[in-house]
Amino acid sequence: MTILKSLLGLGFAFALSTSTALAGELVINSDQSDPAPKKAMEDLIMDFEAKNPDIKVKWNNFDHEGYKSAIRNFLTADAPDVAAWYAGNRMAPFVKAGLFEPVDDVWESNGFNDQLKSAAASMTIDGKKWGVPYTYYQWGIYYNKEAYKKAGAEVPKNWAEFVANCEKFKAAGIDCLTTGTKALWPGAGIFDYMNLRVNGYEFHMDLANGKVPWTDPRVKATFAEWAKIVPYITANHAAIDWQDAAALLSQGKAANYVMGNFAVATFKDGGMTNDTLGFMVFPEITPGVPRAEEAPTDTFHIPSGAKNKEDAKKFLAYLGSAEAQTKMNATLGQLPTNNTSTVGDDPFIKAGFEMLSSAYALAQFFDRDAPADMAKAGMEGFQEFMVKPEKVDAILERLEKVRQKVYK
C-alpha cells in the first residue's frame, strides 16, 4: 500500500511538472521558408523568449504552398497557439467557421487601436479584431523621371492631370502607363486603385464581398475613368510579364507603372537609380473620397482551439510592438504596420511608410479580397477590358453572372 501511495505520489508529481512545462510552451505554425522571413522569425522568437524567460516557443515552419493546405487541417484537428495568415477576405473563412479567436483585448491593452489603425479595417469582421498585422508593402505608381523630362510633363497632382499627361507622353513616343498582364494579377492592381479612388474603400470591399452587382452604375463609373487611359497603356501588355513591363519603365519607353514595392529591385537591376526612379501616391479621382491604399498584409492569429491562449496573447502583443516590427521589417525589407516604428533611409520604404501609416484604410489586393473564382474571372475581365475597352458592358455582365454563382 505504501509503495502504491509512493508510486501514485510520483505519478502526480510527474503530471504536475509536465503540465507546468506545457503551460509555458507556445506552439507557433507559420510559412516563413524563404531566407529573409525565416531570419526575421528566428530573431523575433529569440527576442520574445528573452523577454519572457518562462515561455519556450516551439516553431513549426512550413513551405508556402504546403501551408495553405496544412492550415485548413491543423486549425480543426491539432491547433497551434499562434498561426500565421493574411488579413482581409483571406482570414474571413476561418473567422466565420469559428476557427480564429477575437483579440480585441490585445489591441485595446497595447495601444494598437492607434498604432495599427491603418490596418484595423482589414483585421475587423463583425466589429471584432481577429489577429495582429506585422508587415505589409505598398503599391502605388512608380515613374521614370527622365521620361517625364523628355515629355515636358509634371508629376500630376490629381487624376485629370495624370490623364492630360498621357497625350504628352504619346507625343514623345512613350507609353503613359505600362503593365504586363500575361499573368493577370498586375491588372488587378490598376482596377483596385481605380475603384478605390472613384468609389472608396467601403464600396470596393462590398464589391469584393459580392454585395454589389458588377453592372452597378458605380462600377461602370470606375471603368469609364479607366477607359480614359487605356489607349495609352503598353499595347502588348497581355503578352508580357510584369518584369518585361518593368524593363520598359527602366528604359524610359514607359513613364508610369502601377506596381508593388517589391519591383524596386527589378527597376534598379534594369539600370534605374534613386535619381531616375520616382514614386507617387495614386492620384485622387473623386474629390473627397478618403484615401485608401493597396497594401497586402501578413498577420498572426490565435486559433480558437489553442491550448495556451494566455501566452499567445503575450506573443501577439510583442509582435505588434514598434520594437519588434522595426527589427522584423528591416530584415524583411518591407514596412511595419505599427505607425510608431522606424524605417531605414531607403526613399521608397520611407515614402510607403508615410503613405500607409496615414491611409484611411487598406485593401489587400483583388485576389486576396475576393474569393478565388471571382478573382480569376475578374482579372480575366480586367485584362480583356484593357485590350478591348469597347466590350466593357459584355465583360461586366459576364462578371455579374459569376458573382451570382460564387456568392450563393
Side-chain angles (χ1 to χ4, degrees):
M1 192 71 172
T2 307
I3 295 172
L4 182 61
K5 282 183 179 178
S6 299
L7 287 171
L8 287 170
L10 283 169
F12 177 75
F14 176 73
L16 190 65
S17 67
T18 304
S19 64
T20 304
L22 288 175
E25 180 179 76
L26 183 71
V27 180
I28 300 174
N29 287 7
S30 69
D31 59 338
Q32 280 109 343
S33 54
D34 293 336
K38 186 179 180 188
K39 175 73 165 61
M41 191 66 181
E42 287 170 347
D43 289 348
L44 176 74
I45 290 170
M46 182 176 67
D47 293 343
F48 174 74
E49 287 182 333
K51 290 179 181 297
N52 298 273
D54 56 328
I55 301 173
K56 181 66 180 172
V57 173
K58 179 184 177 184
W59 178 33
N60 302 313
N61 194 20
F62 298 72
D63 70 89
H64 298 305
E65 292 307 311
Y67 192 73
K68 292 175 187 175
S69 302
I71 189 171
R72 288 164 176 78
N73 297 325
F74 66 62
L75 285 179
T76 53
D78 186 20
D81 301 308
V82 177
W85 198 236
Y86 307 102
N89 194 60
R90 291 290 293 277
M91 72 176 184
F94 298 138
V95 170
K96 290 171 182 172
L99 296 171
F100 280 164
E101 187 93 351
V103 291
D104 299 77
D105 53 341
V106 176
W107 283 65
E108 187 68 40
S109 60
N110 291 282
F112 292 165
N113 290 323
D114 290 323
Q115 294 171 25
L116 306 177
K117 63 183 177 182
S118 67
S122 62
M123 299 305 303
T124 303
I125 295 175
D126 296 333
K128 296 177 181 177
K129 295 182 178 69
W130 299 91
V132 169
Y134 67 96
T135 186
Y136 50 20
Y137 62 89
Q138 85 268 23
W139 275 65
I141 299 178
Y142 293 86
Y143 65 95
N144 188 313
K145 296 177 184 179
E146 297 298 318
Y148 268 75
K149 285 180 188 174
K150 183 179 176 183
E154 298 291 329
V155 175
K157 299 182 183 68
N158 54 48
W159 182 242
E161 291 182 10
F162 187 93
V163 174
N165 275 347
C166 286
E167 270 299 317
K168 295 180 180 178
F169 291 122
K170 182 180 179 182
I174 299 168
D175 292 338
C176 181
L177 182 69
T178 192
T179 191
T181 63
K182 185 177 179 181
L184 295 179
W185 60 265
I190 301 174
F191 167 75
D192 284 352
Y193 266 117
M194 294 299 307
N195 199 41
L196 288 167
R197 294 294 184 263
V198 172
N199 293 307
Y201 176 78
E202 284 78 12
F203 180 87
H204 184 71
M205 295 310 299
D206 282 347
L207 182 66
N209 289 318
K211 297 176 182 177
V212 178
W214 281 85
T215 49
D216 187 289
R218 292 166 293 181
V219 179
K220 292 185 177 183
T222 291
F223 281 83
E225 291 298 332
W226 193 353
K228 293 177 181 178
I229 61 165
V230 167
Y232 306 101
I233 295 175
T234 298
N236 67 332
H237 64 82
I240 64 175
D241 287 315
W242 76 265
Q243 296 96 331
D244 301 317
L248 296 177
L249 189 84
S250 299
Q251 295 161 12
K253 294 177 181 177
N256 302 287
Y257 196 175
V258 178
M259 186 43 64
N261 192 62
F262 57 83
V264 168
T266 303
F267 296 140
K268 291 187 173 180
D269 286 346
M272 299 193 83
T273 67
N274 291 349
D275 293 327
T276 58
L277 180 64
F279 175 78
M280 72 176 94
V281 174
F282 198 100
E284 181 182 72
I285 299 179
T286 301
V289 169
R291 180 176 57 80
E293 300 294 343
E294 191 97 302
T297 306
D298 293 351
T299 54
F300 275 97
H301 307 262
I302 300 177
S304 53
K307 299 175 184 66
N308 188 0
K309 292 179 183 177
E310 182 182 345
D311 290 342
K313 289 184 178 183
K314 290 179 183 177
F315 179 80
L316 290 194
Y318 182 63
L319 174 79
S321 70
E323 174 191 346
Q325 294 205 4
T326 296
K327 185 172 181 179
M328 279 193 85
N329 283 282
T331 303
L332 292 169
Q334 295 190 169
L335 298 168
T337 56
N338 188 311
N339 59 25
T340 64
S341 300
T342 55
V343 295
D345 293 330
D346 179 279
F348 305 104
I349 292 287
K350 288 175 73 174
F353 184 65
E354 291 166 11
M355 179 182 81
L356 298 185
S357 294
S358 60
Y360 166 71
L362 303 177
Q364 290 303 300
F365 204 76
F366 189 73
D367 66 357
R368 289 191 182 192
D369 284 330
D373 289 346
M374 189 73 248
K376 180 177 182 293
M379 291 189 292
E380 288 169 352
F382 306 152
Q383 184 204 57
E384 184 181 356
F385 171 73
M386 286 192 286
V387 176
K388 298 175 181 177
E390 69 279 3
K391 286 191 153 189
V392 61
D393 289 336
I395 292 167
L396 294 178
E397 285 167 12
R398 186 175 76 232
L399 294 183
E400 174 55 18
K401 288 177 182 174
V402 175
R403 181 188 77 91
Q404 291 175 11
K405 290 179 183 176
V406 169
Y407 301 92
K408 281 181 180 176

